Amino acid sequence: MFDVCVANYRQNQPSANADTWKVIETEFNATQLHEQETAFTLGNGYLGTRGTFEEGYPQNCPSTMICGIYDDVPFVNCPNWLPLVVTVAGDRFSLDSGEIVKYQRRLDLRLGLTSRDVRWRSPAGSTLDFHFERFSSLADQHISAIRCHITSIDFEGEITVEVGFDAQPDTQGVRHWRTLNQGGIEQIIWLQCRTIHSGIQLGMAAKLVVDGDETAPICVENTSESATLVTTFESFPGKTVAVEKIVTLFTSQDTEIPIAAALQMLADEPRYSSLLANHITAAMNSQQADKLVIPACELDSAERF
């Protein structure tokens, strides 16, 4: 099935460069959405996350599978750790609204890293550049992270970023999770849930860091389903702000109280750049241990247009 999806995917713009182990998509094609999500799946041996967009898309299929997690079915879709929504003067950034001026997405198979560049013109006519990057750490399999650079081309005004979890994913139309506890304080939110039939617990926590605007506040907003972290900052042409979402995740297959482990680990974690460096070091060490011959190339994790 995966081979078929990749074959279809390559016929619709993306290309794999054997020299650098990269899959590159140069044009977004909504009719190939699900094939693209499959081709850009990312994992670290503990969990695998389907290549859906952080901001979402109509009829997308977000999915995170974790080793050893089941219910009354062998495999259960776990709560989605990806959601990161950007709103520009009231217009939500999404590839199904406004205009996609430029687009490129990359999967670096050698480093276990996905990145995406979008130049987007909002329905109101404002133009911005977005650079997304994410990985699930090979240095510590309980850590995943997202970084998004937002650069104004001609927009002046407020930008809001909201990060959270999808606490109630479904598996082929059926929900398998019950939320036990959720909340947030300062820059951290958490989610504690349990599978309905097998009783496996999952604890997930996330923190939001803003770089490029020291005045931007971070607030917790609680809803009936899960908490979110929200920041709003002023933007102007040429200004770049980076937001980092760092996620820790444990299950009761790993530890007795997974939410406590997730919160404790998150409190001690460094910034995105340090986590990325540790992840890349682990990836390279693993390849050397397996005696793989890797072409020499210079890493530029923020390749731009």
Side-chain angles (χ1 to χ4, degrees):
M1 177 65 180
F2 180 79
D3 290 339
V4 172
C5 290
V6 171
N8 291 337
Y9 176 78
R10 286 175 177 170
Q11 291 174 4
N12 291 272
Q13 295 299 328
S15 61
N17 186 327
D19 292 334
T20 57
W21 291 35
K22 291 182 181 178
V23 177
I24 301 174
E25 175 189 19
T26 58
E27 182 178 325
F28 175 63
N29 184 347
T31 66
Q32 297 296 320
L33 179 68
H34 294 163
E35 288 87 345
Q36 294 164 350
E37 290 175 348
T38 299
F40 282 87
T41 295
L42 193 63
N44 63 359
Y46 175 75
L47 60 78
T49 300
R50 190 169 166 85
T52 50
F53 298 136
E54 290 82 357
E55 70 277 7
Y57 193 87
Q59 286 79 54
N60 66 349
C61 292
S63 177
T64 291
M65 298 292 183
I66 301 175
C67 293
I69 304 303
Y70 62 93
D71 199 34
D72 56 346
V73 294
F75 302 102
V76 175
N77 189 9
C78 296
N80 182 12
W81 60 275
L82 293 179
L84 189 157
V85 175
V86 182
T87 304
V88 180
D91 288 328
R92 174 172 171 161
F93 165 66
S94 178
L95 299 188
D96 70 323
S97 69
E99 178 187 355
I100 303 172
V101 181
K102 294 182 181 179
Y103 175 92
Q104 187 176 97
R105 178 163 53 161
R106 298 164 295 278
L107 168 60
D108 191 318
L109 297 166
R110 183 174 67 105
L111 300 176
L113 184 69
T114 63
S115 58
R116 176 169 54 118
D117 285 295
V118 181
R119 176 164 290 179
W120 179 73
R121 187 166 292 123
S122 74
S126 301
T127 307
L128 300 96
D129 281 345
F130 296 87
H131 175 75
F132 291 88
E133 186 177 272
R134 75 179 186 236
F135 64 93
S136 291
S137 179
L138 292 170
D140 190 321
Q141 294 180 326
H142 297 282
I143 299 171
S144 295
I146 301 169
R147 180 168 59 188
C148 176
H149 287 87
I150 305 167
T151 302
S152 170
I153 303 302
D154 57 19
F155 171 73
E156 185 169 354
E158 283 191 347
I159 295 178
T160 298
V161 178
E162 179 179 351
V163 303
F165 306 127
D166 177 5
Q168 293 294 332
D170 65 70
T171 305
Q172 296 182 336
V174 179
R175 292 189 173 185
H176 292 272
W177 294 94
R178 177 178 291 115
T179 298
L180 303 178
N181 187 19
Q182 57 86 23
I185 185 171
E186 296 180 350
Q187 294 176 263
I188 293 176
I189 55 173
W190 63 83
L191 171 67
Q192 181 184 15
C193 52
R194 181 176 61 207
T195 52
I196 293 172
H197 300 282
S198 61
I200 298 172
Q201 287 198 31
L202 180 148
M204 181 185 292
K207 67 179 176 182
L208 175 64
V209 179
V210 180
D211 190 10
D213 192 326
E214 292 72 18
T215 65
I218 297 175
C219 305
V220 176
E221 293 187 0
N222 284 291
T223 67
S224 58
E225 293 189 353
S226 64
T228 59
L229 291 166
V230 181
T231 185
T232 299
F233 55 88
E234 290 292 331
S235 184
F236 52 81
K239 180 178 179 179
T240 296
V241 173
V243 292
E244 303 173 2
K245 181 182 183 182
I246 299 170
V247 179
T248 53
L249 189 157
F250 287 83
T251 75
S252 53
Q253 306 287 60
D254 310 312
T255 185
E256 185 176 356
I257 309 176
I259 187 60
L263 286 167
Q264 182 177 357
M265 173 174 279
L266 187 67
D268 297 332
E269 285 310 317
R271 294 285 301 273
Y272 180 94
S273 56
S274 297
L275 294 173
L276 177 61
N278 293 339
H279 165 70
I280 290 173
T281 298
M284 300 304 290
N285 288 341
S286 175
Q287 291 161 13
Q288 291 172 2
D290 292 338
K291 297 181 180 179
L292 293 176
V293 179
I294 305 300
C297 67
E298 179 181 354
L299 170 65
D300 180 5
S301 63
E303 293 171 306
R304 304 304 172 89
F305 297 120

